Amino acid sequence: MTLFCGHYGSGKTNLAVNYALSLRQKGIEVSLADLDIVNPYFRSKDSTAELEAAGVRVIALPFANSSVDLPSLPSSAYSLVQDRSRYAVLDIGGDDRGAYALGRFVPYILEENDFEMLYVVNFYRPLTTTAEEAFEVLREIEGACGLTFTGIVNNSNLGAETTVEIIEKTCGKAQRLCEMTGLPLVAVTAEKSIAGPDMVPVVLQKRPFEN
Amino acid sequence: MAEKVLMKGNEAIAEAALRAGCLHYFGYPITPQTELTAYMAKRLPKMEGGVFLQAESEISAINMVYGVASTGKRVMTSSSSPGVSLKQEGISYIAGSDLPAVIVNVQRGGPGLGGIQPSQSDYFQATKGGGHGDYHLIVLTPSSVQEMADLTSLAFDLADKYRCPAMLLADGTMGQMMEPVALPEPHKSIIEKPWAVTGTQMKREHNIINSLYLQPEILEKTNFDRFERYRQIEENEVRYESYLMDDAEYCIVAFGIAARVAKNAITMMRKYGLKVGLIRPITVWPFPKKAIKDAADKVKGFVSVELSMGQMIEDVRLAEECKRPVVLCNRAGGMIPGVDQIIAVTKDLVCSVEGGAR
């Protein structure tokens, strides 16, 4: 099981969708869970058609994308922790508020004790512009869900204006965050067309309003 | 220029307000503007003199704004369409008391509880009153996350300058989309506010903030005086973007997200040799009447692109004085007009003006 958590707008959903698809390409049976109870827009569920076409099972809030602003989780979400035959990728809502949704699954996750929980960080987001600020959000998330992170993903970007240089400028901050937490840097990510050799290329989820 | 950050439109408004010296925020969460309230809740308690309060309702929030505005401090509230309807009484009182304040409406589909997808159907409410009595708001319409920040700064400055409430009229897309933004440098109001209720220190007469005038002669005078200020605003503060209008034969009028789609449609149409331009109102009150009127002497027709059943189109028709046909290209209820739709409506207009088949 891999859980993607982090600050609002850090890129968790994009990474979760990409990661689920990459596992599927390796022939692994995988479920992707959209457990964002915070934000009704720009969610994993938006990519359901693409994911299901690739053979990924999508588990999402029953009211997501229905314009009913109701943060309820489906009973099928328990299959994420109870069905050990499938790999589970969990896309969790932003900040500590979003991480509360994990609470009910934590006993099962700890019992199985075979998970990685990745902290997604974009140092160009205004409330995580420094390692210290990012550290504060990281600890708030851990406090809210009762799990501890196992790694850090540096997903720093400026949207359409991102360049390799813009990403590289954040490497020092990511390094410092790793030192503060004792966690490994699992990946530096970049949009596919600009990704350097040491970066994990990511395909951006389609968003309806971009021109 | 400052280093850019990646922000949601809602966050950009909040941060720009803090940088404009707004240390008082009162609101009540509602999708799709909740990130604004959440951002203020995170940041203001950490700032010296910062006050964040989630009120029990929009009605109490706007009256808290009324109170702080009376003291001359910069103050803001934000909501989305149904919540802004609840604020209308308070906005009328603030206008009637000649107080500066900034109100943000990140619009969603209506009427009633409507939906949570983007809309521009509060145009009438924002530009034609909304509350009771003779008054106007200065209404600014951002079309990017950068403008969400820049126009927030401007809203505070204009509100102070003219002693009237200003509104940022955004929509769900502007609130939710993320774009790189260079935040404005921190700046405070340099405008003196001798009218503010700050305590007399026994050195001056009491300042009284009030909108009740039982003698009609006096109430009439407050209205005439206020409308003299509105005349100055109409003279000095009209803002709009003119895009490819120099050689345009047809003119699209659109603001906010609609203007972004319209620009894409114009790029496509120009590839086919159809000379179309755009007038994008940045202030919808005061409306860029002269720009539209001047365009009417050059172009053959107008297309008003809106996320409503057709509200701004009335201002376009008034401004161009019925010289040219004006047609509507719209979606409603949270839907957004597409490039294809804009091209189809524009082609229909061309055919009806010039004859021939599409």
Side-chain angles (χ1 to χ4, degrees):
Chain A
M1 174 183 287
T2 299
L3 301 95
F4 289 93
C5 300
H7 178 47
Y8 292 124
S10 57
K12 302 172 292 295
T13 295
N14 251 314
L15 294 185
V17 169
N18 274 266
Y19 192 60
L21 288 170
S22 73
L23 290 173
R24 194 69 202 103
Q25 276 168 12
K26 291 176 194 159
I28 298 168
E29 295 292 325
V30 57
S31 300
L32 171 68
D34 175 346
L35 298 185
D36 189 341
I37 56 163
V38 181
N39 191 333
Y41 309 98
F42 307 128
R43 37 192 323 137
S44 299
K45 197 182 182 186
D46 297 346
S47 300
T48 299
E50 189 193 352
L51 287 160
E52 287 184 346
V56 176
R57 182 179 177 210
V58 179
I59 295 170
L61 282 61
F63 294 101
N65 293 5
S66 69
S67 286
V68 179
D69 212 349
L70 193 62
S72 66
L73 298 182
S75 55
S76 60
Y78 280 101
S79 70
L80 297 165
V81 286
Q82 291 175 338
D83 178 1
R84 295 184 182 177
S85 68
R86 298 174 73 86
Y87 200 102
V89 176
L90 274 59
D91 175 19
I92 311 298
D95 285 1
D96 48 344
R97 305 280 157 183
Y100 286 125
L102 267 175
R104 67 176 76 175
F105 306 110
V106 167
Y108 301 94
I109 295 171
L110 289 174
E111 186 192 322
E112 187 182 357
N113 198 25
D114 182 18
F115 71 97
E116 58 175 346
M117 179 157 127
L118 302 179
Y119 182 66
V120 182
V121 59
N122 177 354
F123 288 108
Y124 290 102
R125 294 282 293 143
L127 298 184
T128 57
T129 56
T130 65
E132 286 72 17
E133 287 174 340
F135 181 73
E136 195 180 321
V137 173
L138 182 150
R139 285 287 184 251
E140 284 170 1
I141 292 170
E142 289 183 336
C145 71
L147 291 173
T148 48
F149 283 102
T150 62
I152 288 164
V153 177
N154 183 4
N155 189 48
S156 294
N157 73 88
L158 266 181
E161 293 182 16
T162 312
T163 61
V164 169
E165 292 70 37
I166 278 174
I167 296 169
E168 284 172 346
K169 270 169 89 173
T170 64
C171 287
K173 292 177 186 177
Q175 189 60 41
R176 167 124 180 86
L177 182 61
C178 289
E179 285 162 12
M180 290 170 78
T181 56
L183 294 171
L185 183 68
V186 173
V188 181
T189 49
E191 197 274 318
K192 200 179 167 190
S193 65
I194 61 159
D198 49 351
M199 295 175 184
V200 175
V202 173
V203 179
L204 295 185
Q205 206 188 7
K206 229 179 175 179
R207 289 154 71 127
F209 309 130
E210 279 173 344
N211 69 6
Chain B
M1 192 165 51
E3 185 162 280
K4 285 187 176 180
V5 287
L6 186 68
M7 294 186 99
K8 273 196 171 195
N10 287 333
E11 298 168 338
I13 292 175
E15 184 60 39
L18 298 176
R19 288 168 183 240
C22 171
L23 290 173
H24 299 82
Y25 174 92
F26 307 98
Y28 186 85
I30 178 171
T31 307
Q33 68 79 52
T34 300
E35 293 85 358
L36 203 170
T37 308
Y39 196 94
M40 289 301 204
K42 267 210 158 130
R43 291 272 274 116
L44 270 172
K46 293 178 184 169
M47 297 176 76
E48 199 185 329
V51 176
F52 168 87
L53 204 146
Q54 180 176 324
E56 73 272 29
S57 76
E58 288 85 349
I59 296 171
S60 60
I62 191 68
N63 283 290
M64 291 172 186
V65 170
Y66 184 18
V68 170
S70 304
T71 71
K73 303 270 193 242
R74 287 192 157 178
V75 57
M76 183 165 92
T77 187
S78 64
S79 191
S80 180
S81 306
V84 177
S85 290
L86 285 168
K87 293 183 199 284
Q88 291 302 322
E89 181 197 49
I91 293 172
S92 171
Y93 278 52
I94 292 169
S97 303
D98 297 317
L99 294 174
V102 174
I103 299 121
V104 178
N105 183 359
V106 183
Q107 298 167 89
R108 56 190 252 180
L113 206 44
I116 61 168
Q117 299 299 332
S119 173
Q120 297 177 331
S121 54
D122 303 345
Y123 180 93
F124 282 154
Q125 185 194 59
T127 60
K128 313 289 179 196
H132 57 282
D134 280 317
Y135 76 92
H136 283 294
L137 306 174
I138 297 173
V139 185
L140 302 161
T141 62
S143 190
S144 65
V145 175
Q146 184 66 55
E147 275 193 352
M148 291 286 255
D150 295 344
L151 296 183
T152 299
S153 295
L154 180 64
F156 278 104
D157 291 345
L158 293 179
D160 277 354
K161 184 175 176 187
Y162 294 102
R163 281 186 69 179
C164 69
M167 174 174 277
L168 212 67
L169 187 68
D171 65 72
T173 57
M174 289 298 124
Q176 293 298 324
M177 66 164 53
M178 288 174 80
E179 285 181 329
V181 48
L183 290 163
E185 292 298 320
H187 70 287
K188 292 205 167 59
S189 176
I190 46 163
I191 293 162
E192 294 284 322
K193 295 174 178 171
W195 47 264
V197 181
T198 53
T200 64
Q201 317 294 328
M202 309 295 276
K203 285 175 187 158
R204 61 163 167 81
E205 291 294 302
H206 287 283
N207 283 338
I208 295 170
I209 303 292
N210 180 38
S211 68
L212 177 66
Y213 298 91
L214 292 177
Q215 288 168 285
E217 299 84 357
I218 297 177
L219 179 56
E220 182 190 49
K221 185 175 183 311
T222 67
N223 275 280
F224 281 155
D225 289 351
R226 194 169 301 119
F227 270 69
E228 169 54 25
R229 291 209 307 283
Y230 291 155
R231 192 194 58 73
Q232 290 171 20
I233 295 170
E234 289 196 273
E235 197 173 296
N236 301 327
E237 306 299 346
V238 171
R239 285 169 171 81
Y240 64 94
E241 178 192 358
S242 184
Y243 177 73
L244 301 180
M245 281 300 294
D246 284 349
D247 64 342
E249 293 176 357
Y250 292 87
C251 175
I252 293 176
V253 186
F255 66 94
I257 182 67
R260 292 171 71 125
V261 184
K263 281 186 180 176
N264 286 349
I266 287 167
T267 304
M268 297 279 283
M269 287 189 277
R270 283 191 170 254
K271 276 184 193 158
Y272 303 128
L274 201 56
K275 288 181 179 163
V276 185
L278 171 74
I279 292 177
R280 175 172 75 89
I282 296 171
T283 53
V284 285
W285 198 89
F287 194 72
K289 292 178 192 167
K290 186 170 182 306
I292 304 277
K293 190 182 173 188
D294 291 349
D297 293 331
K298 291 164 53 190
V299 303
K300 299 173 188 169
F302 293 88
V303 182
S304 187
V305 182
E306 303 182 47
L307 278 67
S308 74
M309 292 307 292
Q311 300 191 8
M312 181 180 67
I313 191 170
E314 295 192 3
D315 282 336
V316 177
R317 286 197 171 119
L318 283 170
E320 60 100 40
E321 297 173 346
C322 300
K323 285 183 184 160
R324 306 289 173 199
V326 185
V327 296
L328 179 66
C329 175
N330 71 315
R331 297 293 299 268
M335 301 300 291
I336 302 173
V339 168
D340 292 349
Q341 186 190 355
I342 295 173
I343 293 173
V345 171
T346 308
K347 280 184 176 171
D348 279 346
L349 173 66
V350 173
C351 292
S352 73
V353 170
E354 301 181 16
R358 283 170 63 191

